[in-house]
Amino acid sequence: MTVIFSKKCEYGLQAVLYLSAIEPGQIVSSDEIAKKLGIPKEFVSKILQSLTESGIVSSKKGKAGGFSLAKEPGKIRLIDIVAAIDGLGIFNSCVLGFPQCSPDHPCPLHEKWGKLRTEAYEMLTGETLDELRGKTMKKMKSL
Amino acid sequence: MTVIFSKKCEYGLQAVLYLSAIEPGQIVSSDEIAKKLGIPKEFVSKILQSLTESGIVSSKKGKAGGFSLAKEPGKIRLIDIVAAIDGLGIFNSCVLGFPQCSPDHPCPLHEKWGKLRTEAYEMLTGETLDELRGKTMKKMKSL
DNA sequence: ACAAAATCAGATTTTTTTATCTGATTAAAG
DNA sequence: CTTTAATCAGATAAAAAAATCTGATTTTGT
Ligand code: SF4
Ligand code: SF4
């Protein structure tokens, strides 16, 4: 199957987007996130754990614990989440996976693909969670 | 890991590109393709088998057998290969895999992603193997 | 006719990804 | 202090994708 983000990454993006839509300062449990987004609870939990290490979300243990953003939404971009989970490999490796690829012998897709890849990168880099908040909240309310 | 095409699809594209670069009428064995592209031989073989069913390549059995394009390179587009192997799902399903997604409540990426997806589609649809042949041959000679 | 070299078909193995389970730790609340 | 509800950590299981193996069939050339 053709895929862009791994499941892990999809879920991570969804979860962080979810966190960016709640009241600042509030905390939500992985259970709530899992239920709202229809993701296996333990999986969400694991992913958020790894994002905690990356400094994107922060966690609070114990009763009434849960997750929240670790920094202001104005300082988090979607690319940060992708980088933390899937890495940025896709943005500097080639679509076709040709061996021994050098700029001297570009494959037929090189140019166009490069352009597209840059646009994708910009899409994920351009706006912060802050700027996306309006749309995000609408989306989350509809779940 | 972030991926665009499955390995199968990558290999399929590479192999068909390879076939489009040889002399018209010639036939090459899966063994040669595998060696040149550094792909497991049986895997190439399997993928080309499936592309045979899709009518993109044709195969000749027996000694001195092998594979070749099934139609003129002017009638094959990259998207045809992708469609045959990975399907076109990616072009009408959403990046983030949100459940219950309706146009009423677009996620923050909807618009930009849609645009990008269309461009990707056009990239794979726009040119035929014929038009790519120049670059393809250069690439193949460098392997 | 026979041997060699190839595809074909399908089973099997290995690896990676996705998901689940279990127990420990932590912290709030009664 | 004890109960409860949460994260955390790491092992394990299940599913999917990638790769390999095996044997049959087909065709060419000797
Ligand atoms: S030439 Fe460029 S686009 Fe093509 S396979 Fe190599 S790196 Fe990728
Ligand atoms: S709103 Fe659009 S882009 Fe966003 S998840 Fe849904 S279909 Fe995908």
Side-chain angles (χ1 to χ4, degrees):
Chain A
M1 243 284 271
T2 330
V3 159
I4 294 261
F5 301 122
S6 67
K7 279 276 175 237
K8 247 187 208 165
C9 197
E10 278 185 9
Y11 292 162
L13 285 164
Q14 288 184 27
V16 173
L17 243 19
Y18 188 88
L19 291 178
S20 81
I22 60 176
E23 289 303 309
Q26 245 193 320
I27 282 181
V28 295
S29 69
S30 60
D31 198 52
E32 175 182 333
I33 299 175
K35 271 181 188 142
K36 281 283 169 83
L37 300 174
I39 304 175
K41 178 186 158 188
E42 283 87 0
F43 208 16
V44 150
S45 186
K46 274 210 142 243
I47 294 164
L48 288 178
Q49 268 172 49
S50 82
L51 288 177
T52 300
E53 286 175 23
S54 313
I56 294 171
V57 312
S58 74
S59 68
K60 193 186 167 200
K61 292 186 186 177
K63 189 168 177 179
F67 296 91
S68 60
L69 295 183
K71 21 184 184 179
E72 305 116 66
K75 289 190 176 162
I76 304 176
R77 301 160 305 167
L78 295 177
I79 195 79
D80 300 323
I81 299 147
V82 174
I85 299 178
D86 276 349
L88 297 177
I90 199 183
F91 294 109
N92 37 45
S93 68
C94 80
V95 233
L96 293 188
F98 265 109
Q100 313 125 9
C101 206
S102 93
D104 305 347
H105 316 95
C107 84
L109 291 184
H110 189 83
E111 226 174 314
K112 291 192 180 180
W113 168 243
K115 191 167 150 289
L116 213 54
R117 183 167 64 180
T118 303
E119 284 181 55
Y121 186 83
E122 282 166 1
M123 175 176 100
L124 296 171
T125 309
E127 292 170 297
T128 62
L129 291 186
D130 204 22
E131 297 163 311
L132 300 173
R133 191 148 194 263
K135 284 180 190 169
T136 304
M137 288 191 65
K138 249 192 195 164
K139 175 81 197 167
M140 294 307 163
K141 274 181 188 157
S142 80
L143 291 183
Chain B
M1 244 284 272
T2 329
V3 161
I4 294 262
F5 301 123
S6 67
K7 281 274 174 235
K8 247 187 209 167
C9 197
E10 279 185 8
Y11 293 162
L13 285 164
Q14 287 184 27
V16 173
L17 244 20
Y18 188 88
L19 290 179
S20 81
I22 60 176
E23 289 303 310
Q26 244 194 320
I27 282 182
V28 295
S29 71
S30 61
D31 197 52
E32 174 183 335
I33 299 176
K35 271 181 189 142
K36 280 283 168 84
L37 300 175
I39 304 175
K41 177 186 158 187
E42 283 85 0
F43 208 14
V44 150
S45 186
K46 272 208 143 249
I47 294 164
L48 288 178
Q49 267 171 51
S50 83
L51 288 177
T52 300
E53 286 175 23
S54 314
I56 293 171
V57 312
S58 73
S59 69
K60 192 187 169 198
K61 290 188 188 176
K63 187 167 179 179
F67 296 91
S68 60
L69 295 183
K71 19 184 184 178
E72 304 118 64
K75 289 191 177 163
I76 305 176
R77 300 159 306 163
L78 295 177
I79 195 78
D80 299 324
I81 299 146
V82 174
I85 299 179
D86 276 349
L88 296 177
I90 199 183
F91 295 109
N92 37 44
S93 68
C94 80
V95 233
L96 294 187
F98 265 107
Q100 312 125 12
C101 207
S102 92
D104 304 346
H105 316 96
C107 84
L109 292 185
H110 190 82
E111 225 173 316
K112 291 192 179 178
W113 168 243
K115 193 168 148 286
L116 213 55
R117 186 168 60 180
T118 304
E119 285 181 54
Y121 187 83
E122 282 165 1
M123 175 177 101
L124 296 171
T125 309
E127 293 169 297
T128 62
L129 291 186
D130 204 23
E131 296 162 311
L132 300 173
R133 191 148 195 261
K135 285 180 190 171
T136 304
M137 288 191 65
K138 250 193 194 164
K139 176 81 197 165
M140 293 308 162
K141 275 182 187 156
S142 80
L143 291 183

